[in-house]
Structure formats: C-alpha cells, structure tokens
Amino acid sequence: PRRSMKSVHYPGMNIAAGWFVFADHGDELIWKNGDTLGFTSFMGYSAKSRQGVILLGNGLFRGLTDLGWHLLNADFPLPKPS
C-alpha cells in the first residue's frame, strides 16, 4: 500500500514500504536516500526505463538525490549550483 506524503514541493510523492515513490515527468521513480557521519547515498529505479542507479558520496552532498533522479530520467532537472 502507498501513502501520500502531501508534499508541497513534490505533489507526486508517495511512500510505499519505506521507499519513496515519485510520479512525475511521465515516470515513476522508486528510491531511498540517506546520510550519516559525512557519507551520503542514493539508490533508485525508474519504472519507465527499468534501470537503476546507486550513488555513494564520501561527504555530505545535498544534491545527490536530485542527481540520482536526473540520471534515472533526464526530464528531472538538476539543481542550480549555489
């Protein structure tokens, strides 16, 4: 079962069995991310392309999730550098 997160920033975002499900740009991305003690990770899968990606960062990278979304589906924009 899925539950809507009612996110203002990501209206297509749901959560299912602890994984995020983001439906946008004609795709459904299933993903999980996290960080601890200066390490960052992202793992995701595109239902449309049936491809997955795993990103590991040796540091705190705030844009790693956006990069993962973009690698799974180029229609998801990359964040502008700050």
Side-chain angles (χ1 to χ4, degrees), residues 31-36 39-43 55 60 64-65:
W31 60 278
K32 190 86 169 156
N33 67 356
D35 59 74
T36 183
F39 298 96
T40 309
S41 64
F42 172 89
M43 182 167 64
L55 301 173
L60 185 60
L64 200 69
T65 297

Side-chain angles (χ1 to χ4, degrees), residues 18-66:
W19 288 76
F20 297 104
V21 181
F22 194 5
D24 202 0
H25 300 291
D27 201 351
E28 191 173 66
L29 304 183
I30 298 96
W31 60 278
K32 190 86 169 156
N33 67 356
D35 59 74
T36 183
L37 299 173
F39 298 96
T40 309
S41 64
F42 172 89
M43 182 167 64
Y45 174 80
S46 165
K48 183 178 179 179
S49 69
R50 299 182 59 167
Q51 294 185 5
V53 65
I54 296 173
L55 301 173
L56 302 173
N58 188 13
L60 185 60
F61 298 105
R62 301 214 182 268
L64 200 69
T65 297
D66 293 316

Side-chain angles (χ1 to χ4, degrees), residues 2 6 18 26 42 53 58 62 69 76 81-82:
R2 295 184 187 180
K6 303 292 185 200
F42 172 89
V53 65
N58 188 13
R62 301 214 182 268
W69 292 345
F76 285 83
S82 53

